[in-house]
Amino acid sequence: MTSILQGRCFILIAYAMLFTLMGEQTVAVAIFRPSKWSLAHATFYGDETASETMGGACGYGNLFQNGYGTDTVALSSTLFNNGYACGTCFQIKCYQSSACYRNVAFTTVTATNLCPPNWSKPSDNGGWCNPPRVHFDMAKPAFMKIAQWKAGIVPVMYRRVPCQRKGGIRFSFQGNGYWLLVYVMNVGGGGDMSSMMVKGSRTGWIKMSHNWGASYQAFATLGGQALSFRLTSYTTKETIIAWNVAPSNWNVGLTYSSRVNFH
């Protein structure tokens, strides 16, 4: 199913080239460009500490420890795209409301959660995240950057923008000796992923299935092997390979960093 995010006019500059960066291959380099501005609405959840935003449908866990902080947002299901929108970045600006802060152009947030429908309420009065509404339920500190929180809900303009990340993609391991579950974090560029593969030092490439949110799984015995990952961006279709991300003595409960990222 083609999502509303793909339907926006993205300008992608792609270079058909293959090169090696710090010993790790990157294939089909693509640069993600901002989309056009569109109209939506925004609310907030939680309090000023953003404690209620921890965890969430994308599976990023502690958003402070994992680099996302309080500049986060829960997307309505129309935008969430069954979890494939996890990690995407948006600029959001308050629009034509007396609650807007006039001296703030916009704030930038990362999608880390789902705002589920509330079918007991009409979509124009409480059921803000009911399909087909495009809606942003922001962490309260992020909402307070663009509008007075007492407003509750404000019209906004939004656009997809490249995710600016420091360092490479990070892989958090869960599972057991026969099932590897990987949460993918710190994704740059489009911020999203459409598919993922894993390769042990004694195996070929093994296709991983989408579990939920930003996690992928492989039902395979991979213990005692160094692991590499092949990832494809949902938006740009760029594919990158992160070689030897985890050493042969890798373990669940740990997070491993690569040297590559999307642009």
Side-chain angles (χ1 to χ4, degrees), residues 44-249:
F44 66 87
Y45 69 113
D47 59 20
E48 287 85 348
T49 68
S51 59
E52 291 186 30
T53 68
M54 299 299 109
C58 290
Y60 292 133
N62 189 308
L63 300 178
F64 293 105
Q65 293 179 359
N66 292 319
Y68 297 102
T70 61
D71 292 324
T72 62
V73 66
L75 303 178
S76 61
S77 57
T78 300
L79 287 173
F80 193 67
N81 194 23
N82 295 317
Y84 287 104
C86 286
T88 53
C89 296
F90 297 86
Q91 286 178 347
I92 300 177
K93 57 184 177 182
C94 190
Y95 181 67
Q96 293 186 345
S97 169
S98 60
C100 296
Y101 291 134
R102 305 301 178 186
N103 60 340
V104 179
F106 55 79
T107 191
T108 303
V109 293
T110 301
T112 60
N113 205 352
L114 167 68
C115 180
N118 185 348
W119 299 115
S120 67
K121 296 183 178 180
S123 61
D124 61 349
N125 187 21
W128 309 123
C129 291
N130 295 352
R133 287 182 67 102
V134 175
H135 190 83
F136 297 89
D137 200 16
M138 305 171 69
K140 189 174 182 180
F143 185 91
M144 291 172 63
K145 290 182 177 180
I146 61 171
Q148 300 174 39
W149 68 268
K150 290 183 178 180
I153 181 171
V154 293
V156 297
M157 297 294 290
Y158 76 96
R159 66 175 180 172
R160 280 278 306 278
V161 294
C163 295
Q164 305 295 329
R165 304 297 182 207
K166 293 182 179 180
I169 295 173
R170 296 198 295 268
F171 304 83
S172 180
F173 287 12
Q174 298 295 331
N176 53 48
Y178 307 97
W179 170 58
L180 178 64
L181 179 66
V182 180
Y183 293 91
V184 186
M185 300 179 289
N186 201 52
V187 180
D192 51 13
M193 286 180 21
S194 65
S195 62
M196 182 171 167
M197 302 179 78
V198 61
K199 183 184 184 306
S201 51
R202 298 191 301 271
T203 74
W205 286 106
I206 300 170
K207 183 177 176 59
M208 304 182 75
S209 59
H210 184 221
N211 184 286
W212 59 281
S215 67
Y216 285 76
Q217 62 189 357
F219 294 92
T221 304
L222 295 168
Q225 302 180 61
L227 301 183
S228 303
F229 295 97
R230 179 185 177 99
L231 309 97
T232 299
S233 167
Y234 191 96
T235 299
T236 68
K237 312 307 179 187
E238 176 188 4
T239 296
I240 59 178
I241 300 177
W243 293 104
N244 300 318
V245 170
S248 58
N249 63 343

